[in-house]
Amino acid sequence: MSYLSSEKKQEIFAKHGGSATNTGSTEGQVALFTFRIAHLTEHLKKNRKDYGTQRSLQLLVGKRRSMLDYLKAKDIEKYRALIKDLGLRR
């Protein structure tokens, strides 16, 4: 079983994206990236030399950062709410 089932994805998008089918929303994407980042971080704690996963994690963090920057420029209130909701620093 995959760590990220379609039910879990729908749950994430329903909570942050407005609806389960609104998969393109910036808030939903950032929430999904955050979930994946947490999973990869746990994996890397157990498998320190998995450099492929390490690279994937770095790319994912960069994508999330750029999406957060976009959201910050577009709608600062949504940005602040999302940061608080996901428990992200910055």
Side-chain angles (χ1 to χ4, degrees):
M1 167 134 170
S2 169
Y3 77 98
L4 187 59
S5 63
S6 60
E7 290 81 26
K8 183 66 181 168
K9 268 189 188 177
Q10 286 178 342
E11 180 186 316
I12 289 171
F13 282 114
K15 185 175 179 196
H16 297 285
S19 74
T21 55
N22 188 7
T23 57
S25 70
T26 308
E27 297 94 325
Q29 292 280 315
V30 170
L32 183 65
F33 287 165
T34 302
F35 181 79
R36 289 174 60 196
I37 287 168
H39 176 77
L40 291 177
T41 303
E42 287 305 309
H43 172 79
L44 281 171
K45 284 180 183 172
K46 296 180 202 109
N47 306 281
R48 291 181 188 275
K49 293 187 178 183
D50 186 351
Y51 299 118
T53 299
Q54 190 175 341
R55 175 166 162 72
S56 298
L57 176 63
Q58 289 170 337
L59 290 171
L60 204 53
V61 169
K63 273 187 186 177
R64 181 178 72 180
R65 178 78 257 146
S66 64
M67 285 199 128
L68 282 170
D69 290 342
Y70 165 80
L71 188 62
K72 189 176 182 179
K74 193 125 171 101
D75 189 343
I76 191 80
E77 292 307 315
K78 280 185 183 178
Y79 170 81
R80 288 184 182 140
L82 187 64
I83 291 292
K84 189 176 178 198
D85 195 28
L86 294 176
L88 298 175
R89 289 173 294 192
R90 263 187 116 203

